[in-house]
Amino acid sequence: MAKPIILDEQLCFSIYQAHKVYNRFYAKALAPFKLTYSQYIVLLALWQYGTLSVKALGERVGLDSGTLTPLLKRLEKDGWVLRQRSKQDERKLDVQLTAHGKKMQDTIDERVGTCMQWIGMSQDQYNSIRDAVSEVKDHLAEIPDGKFDKLPTPAEQ
C-alpha cells in the first residue's frame, strides 16, 4: 500500500499557495501602472535585455505566443512597447520599449522594491529560497515525459 500523501506536507502545494499570494501582492503593487504580473515580467526582460524578438522574449519569460501576443498588443496600445518587423529578418517581430516604457523603469523599480522589503527576509534568505525553487524547477524540467508511462494507472490497480 502506498504511503498517504498529506496536502500540507507537499512542496507543490506550498509553491502553489505562494504563487497565489505573490499574484495578489503584485496586483496591488502594479495597480497604479495598470500592469499585470505577466506584463511586468515582459517589461523586466526588455529593461534588462533591450529589444528582443517575440520568440526570444517568450523563451526568456516562459510564455507561449498565444499568451504573449495579446499581452504585447495591450502593452503597445497602452504605450509601453512597440512591435515591428525586424530589419534583419522580415519574418521576425521585434519588441522594444517606448520612451514611456524606458522612463517608467525607475518609478516601478522603486515601488516594487519598496514592497519587497515588506516580506521581512534578509537578502541572503530571499536569494536562498529563490535559488532552491529554481533548482526544483530545473529538476522537474529534466524529467522525461516517458517516465510517466511507467507509473501505475487505474486499469492496473
Side-chain angles (χ1 to χ4, degrees):
M1 181 168 172
K3 179 182 176 218
I5 297 173
I6 308 300
L7 179 64
D8 291 334
E9 294 176 1
Q10 299 306 301
L11 177 59
C12 60
F13 186 62
S14 293
I15 291 172
Y16 170 75
Q17 293 288 12
H19 173 74
K20 287 175 52 176
V21 173
Y22 256 112
N23 279 346
R24 282 194 303 272
F25 169 84
Y26 274 103
K28 292 174 186 171
L30 298 170
F33 309 104
K34 297 180 176 52
L35 292 170
T36 65
Y37 176 72
S38 297
Q39 290 170 329
Y40 172 65
I41 63 171
V42 164
L43 292 174
L44 283 176
L46 294 171
W47 287 327
Q48 183 174 352
Y49 300 104
T51 300
L52 292 169
S53 69
V54 171
K55 181 179 179 185
L57 180 58
E59 290 169 355
R60 175 62 48 199
V61 299
L63 296 173
D64 62 41
S65 63
T67 302
L68 195 53
T69 298
L71 184 152
L72 290 172
K73 285 182 179 180
R74 179 62 188 254
L75 283 173
E76 186 172 42
K77 179 181 165 280
D78 292 344
W80 292 92
V81 301
L82 179 63
R83 298 175 308 139
Q84 59 188 19
R85 291 281 159 208
S86 168
K87 292 177 179 133
Q88 289 77 30
D89 184 348
E90 286 279 323
R91 297 170 295 177
K92 290 172 44 179
L93 188 61
D94 287 336
V95 182
Q96 66 183 39
L97 293 162
T98 62
H100 170 72
K102 291 175 185 175
K103 180 180 87 168
M104 293 302 294
Q105 180 180 5
D106 285 342
T107 304
I108 293 174
D109 283 352
E110 184 176 347
R111 180 170 173 91
V112 172
T114 299
C115 294
M116 293 302 291
Q117 293 172 13
W118 300 338
I119 292 176
M121 290 181 188
S122 70
Q123 191 64 50
D124 287 343
Q125 288 174 304
Y126 180 90
N127 292 344
S128 177
I129 292 169
R130 184 206 56 226
D131 293 347
V133 170
S134 185
E135 186 176 347
V136 169
K137 174 203 50 103
D138 292 345
H139 285 294
L140 288 171
E142 291 173 5
I143 300 171
D145 290 341
K147 282 272 197 187
F148 294 92
D149 297 340
K150 298 175 181 139
L151 296 175
T153 62
E156 296 172 5
Q157 294 179 359

